[in-house]
Amino acid sequence: MKTVYDIKPADGKLGILIPGIGAVATTFIAGVFAVRKNLGKPIGSLTQMGTIRLGKRTEKRCPRIKEFVPLADLKDIEFGGWDIFEDNAYVAACKAGVLDRTLLDQLRPELEQIRPMPAVFEQNYVKRLTGTNVKQGKTKMDLADQVREDIRTFKARRNLSRVVMTWCGSTEIYVEPGPVHQSLEAFEQGLKESHPGIAPSMIYAYAALAEGIPYANGAPNLTLDIPALQQLAKKNKVPICGKDLKTGQTLMKSILAPGFKARMLGMSGWFSSNILGNRDGEVLEDPESFKSKEVSKLGLLDFILQPELYPDLYGNLYHKVRIHYYPPRGDNKEGWDNIDIFGWLGYPMEIKVDFLCRDSILAAPLVLDLALFLDLAARSGLSGIQEWLSFYFKSPMVAPGLYPEHDLFIQLKKLKNTLRHLKGEELITHLGLEYYDE
Ligand SMILES: NC(=O)c1ccc[n+]([C@@H]2O[C@H](COP(=O)([O-])OP(=O)(O)OC[C@H]3O[C@@H](n4cnc5c(N)ncnc54)[C@H](O)[C@@H]3O)[C@@H](O)[C@H]2O)c1
């Protein structure tokens, strides 16, 4: 393991390219513009608000994360992206209905500049949407080449020194990896033959990695979870991470479940139900897109609670997740959780959580942090899966054979220790015996 990192400075401008200029992307972009103009604060963003303790508690060293590691400054960020709809970011943000119109109007000139490039799209992968701003190509390799050209043009025209890509597009249908995904060679052959198993999100990811650009997967799509793209990331020394931003109900799960387990309280059931009315909710009405989301949402309780180690406590857990599209709610989702737990001698108790949340308000700061941390990872010479960014995901990517860490508090410790490690600072173990030595 490397111990000395030569982290390149964050000189020049950073481009953030986003497939999918919808609710999450526009809330993120408008938010960055608002912060730059001092119209709001970047609440929820660890890179902007967070601190990191260094050394012993008695040393009282606690710099801000953005002062400890060299991150791109918000004023040095440029945005671009693709969508199947032609709406510029101002129109798309108004339609998404997350941010107030009065705020959006103050940001209108900047937002109107962001016009989505034609998308790589295949109806079969997102059944509920149809758009006209779509690329045409003879083969999927042609489409990948067009995206690569878009990236190069964006970088040159905006005079950028670095670019990262974050998928904020719709949830694609559930796909199992097949032979075409097993090696880079098979995948590239598949692109040339327009193999039906290659999803649009994979084409963007392939283009990004081929151009040496880090890629984060904000949706539950299979995209990067295939050997082919992981091989390409390693070959071109590009960092990648995913998948599915951990907001709302899953965030609550990864906060609450470690607490029950820490106290050795048992659990017999966890039923999660959601109503939401945004476009994401509409796409998730399609059972095949919902399946991607369901798999991504269901995984974490088993990993946190470890029923194989605690059969008496979690051996009979019934975990169920439902999402209902309900237009009147727009982006303001309501998530109900009914948690059946049991304590001393098996006596049952119930906990009800009713989270009236704002999905994109929770997601936007994660998109920012991921872009800035991926850029830091690239400048530090890290490549392949960035497990330290698990903190942000519902289904964190890990090396083959490892199980993912879902406990939010372990994830945060891992993230901060990675930053300490990159800077050659002592890792914090929380042992603390030295404070009591004679
Ligand atoms: N909001 C959250 O809290 C949250 C949390 C986790 C994951 N996500 C995921 O993030 C994604 C975006 O969510 P949203 O609420 O912004 O949805 P949205 O529907 O508002 O935006 C998605 C956009 O992607 C576009 N799109 C679809 N396929 C595309 C393609 N192939 N290329 C380019 N654009 C494409 C759509 O036209 C749409 O404008 C979804 O996959 C969602 O599941 C959101």
Side-chain angles (χ1 to χ4, degrees):
M1 190 173 56
K2 214 163 138 180
T3 50
V4 181
Y5 292 82
D6 174 22
I7 310 176
K8 296 197 179 69
D11 291 340
K13 289 198 285 181
L14 171 70
I16 303 182
L17 274 173
I18 309 177
I21 306 291
V24 171
T26 55
T27 307
F28 156 60
I29 297 170
V32 172
F33 289 147
V35 173
R36 277 189 198 164
K37 288 188 157 177
N38 229 349
L39 297 171
K41 293 204 185 302
I43 295 173
S45 158
L46 191 65
T47 58
Q48 305 306 302
M49 311 290 288
T51 61
I52 182 162
R53 183 189 126 198
L54 303 173
K56 305 211 181 315
R57 270 180 272 167
T58 44
E59 291 176 34
K60 299 196 165 44
R61 284 197 294 151
C62 210
R64 286 192 168 227
I65 287 177
K66 65 178 181 179
E67 282 148 16
F68 176 57
V69 284
L71 298 177
D73 195 284
L74 297 195
K75 71 174 179 359
D76 295 326
I77 296 178
E78 296 274 333
F79 303 95
W82 298 265
D83 205 288
I84 64 168
F85 300 110
E86 275 162 33
D87 297 337
N88 65 48
Y90 173 77
V91 175
C94 291
K95 286 189 182 165
V98 178
L99 298 174
D100 289 343
R101 202 56 182 262
T102 43
L103 175 66
L104 293 176
D105 283 341
Q106 294 177 74
L107 309 168
R108 186 169 181 165
E110 296 94 313
L111 288 171
E112 280 180 343
Q113 294 297 311
I114 301 165
R115 293 184 206 94
M117 296 178 269
V120 177
F121 187 67
E122 197 178 327
Q123 188 78 62
N124 179 42
Y125 278 91
V126 181
K127 301 227 165 54
R128 302 270 160 143
L129 298 183
T130 320
T132 50
N133 195 33
V134 173
K135 289 189 192 313
Q136 303 300 326
K138 274 202 217 78
T139 64
K140 290 190 175 178
M141 187 59 103
D142 271 355
L143 296 171
D145 287 340
Q146 290 180 42
V147 176
R148 292 181 69 170
E149 193 53 45
D150 289 347
I151 296 171
R152 285 190 219 123
T153 310
F154 173 70
K155 197 170 175 193
R157 284 213 184 125
R158 308 284 183 100
N159 197 17
L160 305 172
S161 60
R162 301 155 340 265
V163 178
V164 296
M165 194 185 288
T166 305
W167 174 272
C168 291
S170 308
T171 301
E172 295 176 337
I173 60 167
Y174 182 73
V175 195
E176 294 272 359
V180 69
H181 304 122
Q182 294 311 317
S183 70
L184 185 54
E185 212 185 346
F187 188 84
E188 288 181 332
Q189 190 57 32
L191 281 173
K192 288 180 196 146
E193 291 165 3
S194 295
H195 192 288
I198 298 181
S201 65
M202 293 174 186
I203 297 177
Y204 288 102
Y206 172 82
L209 300 180
E211 291 295 313
I213 287 175
Y215 185 100
N217 182 9
N221 307 337
L222 182 67
T223 321
L224 295 169
D225 296 338
I226 55 172
L229 290 178
Q230 294 180 14
Q231 282 167 17
L232 182 57
K234 270 298 187 195
K235 181 174 154 212
N236 288 357
K237 301 194 168 46
V238 195
I240 51 173
C241 62
K243 66 181 184 179
D244 204 7
L245 303 171
K246 180 151 77 179
T247 57
Q249 205 163 46
T250 314
L251 175 66
M252 294 308 285
K253 267 186 194 152
S254 79
I255 293 172
L256 293 174
F260 302 137
K261 184 181 170 204
R263 286 283 187 219
M264 291 286 107
L265 293 167
M267 192 181 294
S268 57
W270 194 316
F271 176 56
S272 302
S273 178
N274 299 272
I275 52 173
L276 83 160
N278 57 15
R279 194 184 281 154
D280 186 30
E282 192 178 351
V283 167
L284 293 173
E285 277 277 282
D286 172 41
E288 291 182 88
S289 284
F290 175 68
K291 172 90 172 145
S292 299
K293 206 43 147 190
E294 188 184 29
V295 169
S296 162
K297 277 171 167 276
L298 280 178
L300 95 166
L301 274 190
D302 265 5
F303 286 114
I304 294 177
L305 300 174
Q306 297 177 296
E308 67 292 354
L309 287 184
Y310 305 98
D312 290 340
L313 300 176
Y314 310 116
N316 284 320
L317 173 66
Y318 192 88
H319 185 198
K320 186 169 178 150
V321 178
R322 284 288 170 268
I323 299 177
H324 304 281
Y325 176 52
Y326 180 62
R329 274 304 164 89
D331 199 62
N332 296 348
K333 182 162 89 177
E334 181 157 4
W336 289 279
D337 282 286
N338 171 75
I339 315 162
D340 286 294
I341 63 168
F342 52 90
W344 189 241
L345 308 177
Y347 278 73
M349 295 170 258
E350 285 176 34
I351 298 171
K352 315 279 178 190
V353 180
D354 185 5
F355 189 10
L356 290 108
C357 82
R358 292 173 188 266
D359 248 7
S360 302
I361 293 291
L362 292 168
L366 311 192
V367 179
L368 173 63
D369 284 2
L370 284 168
L372 299 190
F373 279 145
L374 269 185
D375 173 47
L376 171 72
R379 281 183 286 108
S380 308
L382 300 178
S383 64
I385 297 169
Q386 302 298 300
E387 198 195 325
W388 62 287
L389 297 175
S390 297
F391 179 65
Y392 294 103
F393 295 110
K394 284 193 192 78
S395 302
M397 291 176 74
V398 281
L402 278 186
Y403 67 83
E405 189 51 75
H406 281 280
D407 177 328
L408 189 79
F409 306 100
I410 297 178
Q411 292 173 332
L412 180 62
K413 236 178 266 172
K414 186 192 274 287
L415 188 157
K416 288 193 173 179
N417 266 340
T418 305
L419 297 179
R420 293 182 187 108
H421 173 69
L422 286 177
K423 291 279 290 182
E425 285 281 342
E426 211 179 309
L427 304 190
I428 292 196
T429 62
H430 299 283
L431 181 63
L433 282 179
E434 68 274 20
Y435 301 119
Y436 300 90
D437 285 348
E438 289 294 309

